Amino acid sequence: MSDPSLAHRPTLEAVAARAGVSRATASRVVNGSDGVRAPLAERVRRAVDELGYVPNQAARTLVTRRNDAVAVVVAEPETRFFSDPFLTQQVRGISKELTARDNQLVLLLTEGAADYERVGRYLAGGHVDGALLFSLHDDDTLPALARRAGVPTVIGGRPSWSDADTLYVDCDNRGGARDAVTYLLDGGRRRIGHIAGPLDQTASVDRLEGFRDALPGTDPRMIAEGDFTPEGGARAMAALLEHCPDLDAVFAASDVMASGALRVLRTRGIKVPEDIAVVGFDDIVSVAEWTDPPLTTIRQDIEEMGRMMARLLLRRVSPSAGDADGPALSSIITPTRLVVRASA
Amino acid sequence: MSDPSLAHRPTLEAVAARAGVSRATASRVVNGSDGVRAPLAERVRRAVDELGYVPNQAARTLVTRRNDAVAVVVAEPETRFFSDPFLTQQVRGISKELTARDNQLVLLLTEGAADYERVGRYLAGGHVDGALLFSLHDDDTLPALARRAGVPTVIGGRPSWSDADTLYVDCDNRGGARDAVTYLLDGGRRRIGHIAGPLDQTASVDRLEGFRDALPGTDPRMIAEGDFTPEGGARAMAALLEHCPDLDAVFAASDVMASGALRVLRTRGIKVPEDIAVVGFDDIVSVAEWTDPPLTTIRQDIEEMGRMMARLLLRRVSPSAGDADGPALSSIITPTRLVVRASA
DNA sequence: ATCGCGCGAGAGAGCGCTCTCACGCCGGAC
DNA sequence: GTCCGGCGTGAGAGCGCTCTCTCGCGCGAT
């Protein structure tokens, strides 16, 4: 309020005056459009420097209808499931990509229905050029909201519905899970249990599918559902042990649940990996490297997934700008990689 | 881009026309200023609803010079130290407070000097009304940058310089540390070591001070410097054990370092808390509750600190708006609380 | 009945920018 | 030498909103 340095912010008009050109020409130079002769352009650039001119984004947005800003919408209740570092890393990737393309990141955290309405209004308000949607549950209304608002979106994680028009970025959950189990099988394990995530999330379902791919016809009691928390992992581990005392391996659908499982095993004096091998999923370093023993897990490049989401969205927002505009945009499934540590 | 629903966004003009009033009156109603007679106001409100009118923020900003947006600037390199959950929680608090006051959160992550320049330009560009600065190191240029840009700021964590004009929010690091050590002393521990954080951060220094308050004249070798990582905590623990084999307690300046320390103790077969008691700091639930044994620690209300930062900034931005405007704004030190779990 | 006052409403001027359009100038073709 | 075409530049019209200023109306006081 009444800040001097904000008050004397030079306008394009001032730059033009100083450079002895019209506002239109100054604008052309500032926006890098060609067709301005070198000496003039140079004069304008000097004036910009001398005055410390910075374009007023509001004025620009008002006429161009572009915000150069993207919303990242995170549905809070679900955030807990995906342990926090996951989100943080993804946001980091998004931020980098957005920055590289001169876009801003507006963070919208929601909790509860009232917030959805607020987000809907915000998106409809045309404040952002696009939105990145996170941690949706099965019948989440957020994508519909965004669509109604006419805001291009990209979703983090495969949504439960299929729709050619819906763009998302996810890792190869199924393939990764398959790899994990295959690795256990290759290591001679035969009685392999699975700690699944909540089955109303596609990631959990896909990982379970992968487990089944490698181990068809598994007794359903070898599969226990957790909730992506350590507690859930611990409970699931206990259940597994109960149904199958001679278990020799477990594949958990997340590192965090695996850490809960490890805890139960340690408490009961069961040696990992000697008695039971454990494989996680995610490779969240702060978890997987610091469990005891360190966790063998399936790595997904979380930050890169973030970058990809941002890139995809930006291309959707302005098809011409992106890379040499390929054909239709499509969802992306990133590969996973087995990272062997000590737990299996 | 050419989106239909964005294209027909109704303007205030349209609302006014539908309600049969002037644009000025419509504006008055939309902005909740009084002095519009009830029936007219009602007509305008109905028109807004029917048309689904949402004010164009860019146009509004252009004239009011207010953005209703706040930047959260996080200096990346340091982020690793404060383990991620810390930041996430704080941002959550900020987001809630901002949302409640109809402000947006623009997230700016930086890494390296080049990014600082970019952030400087952004702040100078007047895109936001204020900035929240995080994880600064000792001679960080960010605050100066923000000041030059004329953007009101609030800093997360006590900065190393003192300056009446600088507002920050931090927890009572010193008092918390003192409480931790006092608790250990009360439990009969006598040979207490300290795993400090990097001493170029005020939080580490303050916690060390608190340690010394409770245990004046401690042999310097009872203090080992870590770096807020589990590895650092582990190394520091090992060093402590070396210099003082009959240690009976450790106060670590962070939960994350404590987790590293616990690991070393477990490896060496030293029982916690029987042989050595361990107290952490932060109470990052995902860490403290899931170490083995669960960590006794000093709790700081991270989310609340985030809220306070936001509130402070908003009051600084528009002194009139805030609560019944108290006198001068001042920095805030929040209390800490000892949380007893199993490790001490 | 006249005057003045105050409140509610409208008219209109920008905020700083982009972009279309018109214009002037220079070079090449006739 | 005249004409045309095209490129480089300037003039000006808004984008959608807020806010000041003015105006008109109805009321109480004289």
Side-chain angles (χ1 to χ4, degrees):
Chain A
M1 217 79 318
S2 74
D3 185 307
S5 81
L6 281 180
H8 336 127
R9 288 242 327 272
T11 74
L12 189 56
E13 189 79 53
V15 171
R18 184 173 190 108
V21 299
S22 73
R23 205 172 56 242
T25 299
S27 172
R28 280 187 271 257
V29 174
V30 167
N31 292 297
S33 79
D34 44 348
V36 175
R37 254 187 291 247
L40 271 201
E42 189 43 47
R43 287 222 309 272
V44 171
R45 268 188 289 269
R46 205 167 42 235
V48 165
D49 276 359
E50 288 166 358
L51 262 32
Y53 170 76
V54 184
N56 179 320
Q57 185 62 33
R60 188 178 267 176
T61 295
L62 186 55
V63 30
T64 60
R65 265 97 213 300
R66 269 185 116 289
N67 298 282
D68 293 318
V70 163
V72 170
V73 186
V74 181
E76 257 303 328
E78 316 291 340
T79 303
R80 256 168 290 151
F81 296 174
F82 276 83
S83 66
D84 282 352
F86 188 92
L87 202 74
T88 314
Q89 278 186 56
Q90 210 147 12
V91 168
R92 193 163 306 168
I94 293 169
S95 166
K96 284 184 185 163
E97 191 67 24
L98 251 28
T99 294
R101 316 222 178 190
D102 265 322
N103 268 258
Q104 297 310 323
L105 190 170
V106 178
L107 190 64
L108 265 35
L109 303 182
T110 74
E111 37 186 341
D115 274 5
Y116 264 38
E117 199 203 328
R118 171 177 64 84
V119 170
R121 260 204 319 279
Y122 184 74
L123 294 182
H127 302 293
V128 290
D129 301 327
L132 261 17
L133 272 28
F134 279 98
S135 43
L136 306 177
H137 53 259
D138 254 11
D139 52 348
D140 208 301
T141 57
L142 209 44
L145 223 69
R147 171 164 312 183
R148 222 173 311 131
V151 177
T153 55
V154 169
I155 299 177
R158 183 172 77 79
S160 57
W161 68 92
S162 60
D163 179 337
D165 206 41
T166 303
L167 254 34
Y168 66 88
V169 173
D170 204 344
C171 76
D172 182 8
N173 286 307
R174 187 166 182 168
R178 204 158 38 211
D179 290 348
V181 179
T182 303
Y183 173 74
L184 289 170
L185 287 169
D186 289 350
R189 311 288 172 161
R190 285 299 169 265
R191 304 198 52 81
I192 306 177
H194 179 46
I195 299 178
L199 293 175
D200 63 340
Q201 295 187 218
T202 57
S204 307
V205 174
D206 292 350
R207 290 170 197 183
L208 174 56
E209 287 299 307
F211 175 83
R212 287 216 177 98
D213 286 346
L215 228 43
T218 301
D219 180 345
R221 282 177 312 181
M222 294 293 275
I223 295 164
E225 189 172 339
D227 58 2
F228 281 145
T229 67
E231 295 88 333
R235 271 195 304 272
M237 186 71 244
L240 249 27
L241 247 21
E242 176 145 342
H243 292 129
C244 179
D246 58 342
L247 206 67
D248 63 7
V250 174
F251 164 53
S254 85
D255 288 349
V256 172
M257 290 195 296
S259 77
L262 284 177
R263 182 140 217 255
V264 168
L265 295 175
R266 191 166 53 232
T267 308
R268 307 206 178 179
I270 298 174
K271 290 215 188 71
V272 176
E274 293 79 358
D275 301 334
I276 296 188
V278 176
V279 178
F281 202 110
D282 286 343
D283 195 27
I284 291 179
V285 174
S286 64
V287 175
E289 281 188 356
W290 288 94
T291 53
D292 181 25
L295 209 51
T296 293
T297 189
I298 298 295
R299 173 165 172 59
Q300 44 176 330
D301 192 340
I302 305 175
E303 188 172 317
E304 180 61 19
M305 286 165 69
R307 303 186 82 110
M308 285 176 152
M309 287 184 68
R311 218 170 311 164
L312 203 53
L313 181 62
L314 255 22
R315 289 179 57 192
R316 173 165 252 197
V317 167
S318 49
S320 55
D323 332 39
D325 38 12
L329 263 31
S330 70
S331 294
I332 299 177
I333 307 290
T334 66
T336 58
R337 205 181 77 228
L338 178 75
V339 175
V340 177
R341 295 201 182 85
S343 73
Chain B
M1 213 80 316
S2 71
D3 186 308
S5 80
L6 283 180
H8 334 128
R9 286 244 325 276
T11 75
L12 189 56
E13 188 80 53
V15 172
R18 185 174 190 109
V21 300
S22 73
R23 205 172 59 242
T25 298
S27 173
R28 279 188 270 260
V29 174
V30 167
N31 292 297
S33 80
D34 45 348
V36 175
R37 254 185 291 249
L40 272 201
E42 189 41 49
R43 287 223 309 273
V44 171
R45 268 189 289 270
R46 203 164 46 235
V48 166
D49 276 0
E50 289 166 356
L51 261 32
Y53 170 76
V54 184
N56 180 320
Q57 184 61 32
R60 187 178 268 177
T61 295
L62 187 56
V63 31
T64 60
R65 265 96 214 297
R66 270 186 115 291
N67 298 283
D68 294 316
V70 164
V72 170
V73 186
V74 181
E76 258 301 330
E78 316 292 339
T79 302
R80 257 167 288 149
F81 297 173
F82 277 81
S83 67
D84 283 351
F86 188 92
L87 202 75
T88 314
Q89 276 184 59
Q90 210 146 12
V91 168
R92 195 164 305 168
I94 293 169
S95 166
K96 283 183 185 161
E97 191 66 25
L98 252 27
T99 295
R101 313 221 178 190
D102 265 321
N103 268 258
Q104 297 310 323
L105 190 171
V106 178
L107 190 64
L108 264 34
L109 304 181
T110 74
E111 34 188 340
D115 274 3
Y116 264 36
E117 198 203 328
R118 171 177 64 83
V119 170
R121 260 204 318 279
Y122 185 73
L123 295 181
H127 302 293
V128 290
D129 300 327
L132 261 18
L133 271 27
F134 279 99
S135 41
L136 306 178
H137 53 261
D138 255 11
D139 53 349
D140 208 301
T141 58
L142 209 43
L145 222 71
R147 172 165 311 185
R148 221 174 311 133
V151 177
T153 54
V154 170
I155 300 178
R158 183 172 76 80
S160 56
W161 68 93
S162 60
D163 179 338
D165 205 44
T166 303
L167 255 35
Y168 66 88
V169 173
D170 204 344
C171 75
D172 183 8
N173 287 306
R174 186 166 181 168
R178 204 158 38 214
D179 290 349
V181 179
T182 303
Y183 174 73
L184 289 170
L185 288 169
D186 287 352
R189 310 290 174 162
R190 284 300 169 265
R191 304 200 50 82
I192 306 177
H194 177 46
I195 298 178
L199 293 175
D200 63 339
Q201 295 187 217
T202 58
S204 308
V205 173
D206 293 351
R207 290 170 196 181
L208 173 56
E209 287 300 306
F211 175 82
R212 287 216 178 97
D213 286 348
L215 229 42
T218 302
D219 179 346
R221 282 177 312 182
M222 294 294 274
I223 296 163
E225 189 173 339
D227 58 0
F228 281 145
T229 66
E231 295 89 333
R235 270 195 305 273
M237 187 70 244
L240 249 26
L241 249 19
E242 176 144 342
H243 293 128
C244 181
D246 59 342
L247 208 67
D248 63 6
V250 174
F251 164 52
S254 87
D255 288 350
V256 172
M257 290 195 297
S259 77
L262 285 177
R263 182 140 217 258
V264 168
L265 296 175
R266 189 166 55 235
T267 310
R268 307 206 178 178
I270 298 174
K271 290 213 187 72
V272 176
E274 293 80 356
D275 302 334
I276 295 188
V278 176
V279 177
F281 202 111
D282 287 343
D283 196 27
I284 291 179
V285 174
S286 64
V287 175
E289 281 188 357
W290 287 94
T291 53
D292 180 26
L295 209 51
T296 293
T297 189
I298 300 295
R299 173 165 171 61
Q300 45 176 332
D301 193 341
I302 305 175
E303 187 172 318
E304 181 61 18
M305 288 166 68
R307 302 185 84 111
M308 287 178 151
M309 288 184 68
R311 220 171 310 162
L312 204 52
L313 182 63
L314 255 23
R315 288 180 57 194
R316 173 164 253 198
V317 166
S318 49
S320 56
D323 333 37
D325 38 11
L329 264 31
S330 68
S331 294
I332 299 177
I333 307 290
T334 65
T336 58
R337 205 181 77 228
L338 178 75
V339 176
V340 177
R341 296 204 181 85
S343 71

